[in-house]
Amino acid sequence: MNTSAYIREEEVKEEDSHLLSWDEWLRRHVAQLLLFARQQSRSPEDAEDILQDALIRLARKEASGEFVGGQEAWLSYVFASIRRLAVDYGRKSDRRQKREDEACAAEQDGDIYADPWFSSAAADEELKQFMEMQLKKLPSKFSEVIVLKIWGEQTFQQIAETLEISQNTVASRYRYGIDLLRKALRNKKEQI
């Protein structure tokens, strides 16, 4: 056997033995990654989402063969990804908050409650029944958010906790459900 070939073969085996499995690597580094994500984000939930997204990016890059640097560069890559994703999450959160504030301001101005159906004392019984029927026709994911928001007087955050979904999902389901109810009401008024 060629001695130099044997030495090179042993060096390769030694290098491979230092590589950790994905699970081992994750167990070794998850606490410090999560701590960093928490420092970069606005909430513990966002930190977990950001960390998950960063790890998915790494896994996809590694699986596609695009990742350069090997396992020793994973940690730096994930830290950098967390930082970038935290900025993106912050911007998304700011935009979402602005939309929610505008929606709340519109509600307070009477924009959403302009129809008599939303004011039970002045509600016309036929219109009330029609809107209740339309609410029942909506997919439950929209109707439950609307009921919790309007009649339950819950905030988007409280609804998100109740339904165990993100605030973004709550807000979009609310807006979409209200839009569907408005369209139904417009169609009803056009028929009259």
Side-chain angles (χ1 to χ4, degrees):
M1 175 179 218
N2 184 344
T3 331
S4 61
Y6 177 74
I7 292 172
R8 276 190 237 118
E9 201 173 296
E10 287 300 313
E11 288 172 356
V12 170
K13 286 181 184 176
E14 191 175 307
E15 286 177 16
D16 288 345
S17 69
H18 294 305
L19 295 179
L20 301 172
S21 71
W22 176 256
D23 290 342
E24 291 169 330
W25 184 88
L26 200 52
R27 270 193 292 277
R28 183 175 288 179
H29 299 289
V30 73
Q32 67 194 79
L33 291 169
L34 185 56
L35 177 62
F36 183 71
R38 284 182 179 153
Q39 291 172 343
Q40 298 293 313
S41 64
R42 297 178 182 183
S43 72
E45 294 81 14
D46 283 352
E48 291 173 4
D49 291 344
I50 289 167
L51 176 57
Q52 180 177 347
D53 288 349
L55 292 171
I56 289 171
R57 282 184 177 185
L58 171 63
R60 286 184 178 152
K61 265 187 120 64
E62 189 66 34
S64 70
E66 295 174 23
F67 191 81
V68 179
Q71 194 176 70
E72 52 277 348
W74 286 4
L75 194 58
S76 297
Y77 177 82
V78 176
F79 278 132
S81 293
I82 288 170
R83 189 167 181 278
R84 285 189 296 273
L85 286 165
V87 170
D88 292 344
Y89 269 67
R91 288 179 182 153
K92 286 178 189 175
S93 179
D94 290 345
R95 287 191 301 265
R96 181 187 68 243
Q97 187 64 48
K98 183 179 177 187
R99 286 191 308 268
E100 289 176 7
D101 291 345
E102 288 170 357
C104 289
E107 285 178 16
Q108 290 172 354
D109 292 342
D111 188 31
I112 290 180
Y113 299 107
D115 288 314
W117 178 69
F118 289 106
S119 173
S120 61
D124 155 25
E125 190 60 35
E126 183 181 343
L127 182 59
K128 182 178 176 184
Q129 288 176 356
F130 172 78
M131 293 306 288
E132 286 176 4
M133 183 178 68
Q134 293 304 311
L135 190 61
K136 287 179 184 176
K137 286 182 180 179
L138 287 178
S140 63
K141 65 183 183 180
F142 300 129
S143 61
E144 66 188 358
V145 169
I146 291 171
V147 169
L148 288 170
K149 177 71 175 150
I150 295 175
W151 290 279
E153 298 179 347
Q154 300 286 300
T155 65
F156 286 140
Q157 182 177 355
Q158 291 169 325
I159 296 169
E161 291 168 4
T162 300
L163 300 179
E164 298 178 337
I165 56 178
S166 75
Q167 287 184 43
N168 288 343
T169 304
V170 170
S172 65
R173 287 181 182 179
Y174 176 77
R175 283 190 305 275
Y176 191 73
I178 291 293
D179 286 344
L180 290 173
L181 290 175
R182 284 182 179 149
K183 287 176 187 174
L185 184 58
R186 272 189 232 113
N187 291 339
K188 172 78 172 166
K189 286 181 178 180
E190 287 173 6
Q191 291 175 358
I192 294 177

Short mmCIF file of all heavy atoms in Angstrom, two decimals, residues 60 92 174:
data_model
loop_
_atom_site.label_atom_id
_atom_site.label_comp_id
_atom_site.label_asym_id
_atom_site.label_seq_id
_atom_site.Cartn_x
_atom_site.Cartn_y
_atom_site.Cartn_z
N ARG A 60 -31.58 24.58 2.90
CA ARG A 60 -31.82 24.62 1.46
C ARG A 60 -30.54 24.87 0.69
O ARG A 60 -30.29 24.25 -0.34
CB ARG A 60 -32.87 25.67 1.12
CG ARG A 60 -34.26 25.25 1.49
CD ARG A 60 -35.29 26.27 1.07
NE ARG A 60 -36.62 25.80 1.42
CZ ARG A 60 -37.64 26.59 1.68
NH1 ARG A 60 -37.50 27.90 1.62
NH2 ARG A 60 -38.81 26.09 1.99
N LYS A 92 -41.99 44.31 8.31
CA LYS A 92 -43.32 43.73 8.10
C LYS A 92 -44.24 44.08 9.26
O LYS A 92 -45.40 44.42 9.06
CB LYS A 92 -43.23 42.21 7.95
CG LYS A 92 -42.66 41.75 6.64
CD LYS A 92 -42.57 40.24 6.62
CE LYS A 92 -41.80 39.74 5.42
NZ LYS A 92 -41.61 38.28 5.46
N TYR A 174 -59.43 38.89 8.88
CA TYR A 174 -60.42 39.90 9.25
C TYR A 174 -60.73 40.79 8.05
O TYR A 174 -61.90 40.98 7.70
CB TYR A 174 -59.90 40.73 10.43
CG TYR A 174 -60.82 41.85 10.83
CD1 TYR A 174 -61.97 41.60 11.57
CD2 TYR A 174 -60.53 43.17 10.48
CE1 TYR A 174 -62.81 42.64 11.94
CE2 TYR A 174 -61.37 44.20 10.84
CZ TYR A 174 -62.51 43.93 11.58
OH TYR A 174 -63.35 44.95 11.94
#
